[in-house]
Amino acid sequence: MGLTTRVNKFLDSISKYYEGVSCYVRSKYKLGKCDELLPKEFCEGFERIDCISLRDLINGDVVRDELLVRNDRLDVLIHVSRDAKVCILEVSAREVILDVDECMRVDEGDLLAYLITGKGEVRGFQSRCKGYIVLIEELVGRPQTYKIYVVGDEYVREVRQ
C-alpha cells in the first residue's frame, strides 16, 4: 500500500469524527422520498427528527415509539422497538470526558467516562446498565453534566447497511 493510499485512509478516519448522529421515529404520516441514509426496509414510515427530541419520546423508563439511530462516526444503525425499557445514567463532575458514543453497546461495569473532580482527581464512571446507548444529552451549566440513555439488548437490533 502506497503512502498516498495510507494518508487518504487516515484522513477518511479523521473526517468520520465530524460526521454526526441521525435519528428517526416511526410515523404513520410519513410519505414521499426515502432518506438515502436508511436501508430500503426502513424507507416507509420513518421520519427524521432532531436526536435531542428522543428524550421527549421516553415516558418514565419506556420508549413509546419505534426508533432508528444512525451513528456515521461508527457506521452503525440500530433499530429500537416500541415499549423498550430505558436506563438513564447521569454523569456529573467539574469536567467529564466521555469514552462512549451513541449506538455503542455497553455492559454493566464498562467505563463510560472519566471524571475530573474539583480537587483535580481523575475517577472512572462505570455503567450500571447493559444495552445500547441511544442518546447522550449534555446539560448546560456547572458542574458539567451528561445524561446517557441506554436501551436493553432485547429491544435493539443492529441493522446491516
Side-chain angles (χ1 to χ4, degrees):
M1 178 183 323
L3 180 61
T4 304
T5 305
R6 284 187 283 172
V7 168
N8 283 338
K9 282 188 174 190
F10 177 71
L11 292 174
D12 285 344
S13 69
I14 290 173
S15 67
K16 278 198 176 270
Y17 175 80
Y18 294 99
E19 295 176 5
V21 177
S22 308
C23 299
Y24 304 85
V25 65
R26 168 87 57 195
S27 171
K28 57 186 169 190
Y29 306 109
K30 175 71 174 145
L31 299 170
K33 195 167 111 175
C34 179
D35 190 318
E36 67 277 354
L37 296 176
L38 293 179
K40 290 190 188 292
E41 68 179 292
F42 297 109
C43 277
E44 294 298 320
F46 280 92
E47 73 176 298
R48 192 172 185 160
I49 60 170
D50 289 331
C51 287
I52 198 63
S53 299
L54 291 181
R55 69 177 179 205
D56 301 330
L57 299 174
I58 297 171
N59 290 341
D61 66 347
V62 175
V63 177
R64 66 173 191 240
D65 290 312
E66 194 175 346
L67 308 172
L68 294 172
V69 182
R70 178 184 168 84
N71 186 325
D72 291 326
R73 291 183 293 271
L74 303 175
D75 200 24
V76 174
L77 174 67
I78 59 172
H79 176 238
V80 180
S81 62
R82 185 177 183 178
D83 297 327
K85 298 272 189 240
V86 180
C87 175
I88 302 172
L89 304 169
E90 189 166 312
V91 183
S92 186
R94 191 180 109 234
E95 189 172 341
V96 177
I97 302 163
L98 293 172
D99 196 35
V100 292
D101 202 355
E102 283 96 346
C103 297
M104 285 182 72
R105 190 185 172 291
V106 295
D107 283 319
E108 287 182 47
D110 283 357
L111 182 71
L112 301 182
Y114 294 99
L115 311 177
I116 301 175
T117 67
K119 293 181 179 181
E121 299 171 335
V122 178
R123 297 191 178 149
F125 181 84
Q126 297 175 328
S127 177
R128 60 179 168 76
C129 308
K130 179 180 177 182
Y132 285 83
I133 298 172
V134 293
L135 177 66
I136 299 174
E137 176 186 7
E138 183 175 8
L139 304 177
V140 179
R142 284 281 170 205
Q144 191 174 17
T145 305
Y146 290 91
K147 282 187 177 180
I148 301 172
Y149 297 78
V150 180
V151 173
D153 287 334
E154 62 273 20
Y155 303 103
V156 177
R157 75 176 173 104
E158 282 192 42
V159 179
R160 298 237 183 240
Q161 301 181 54

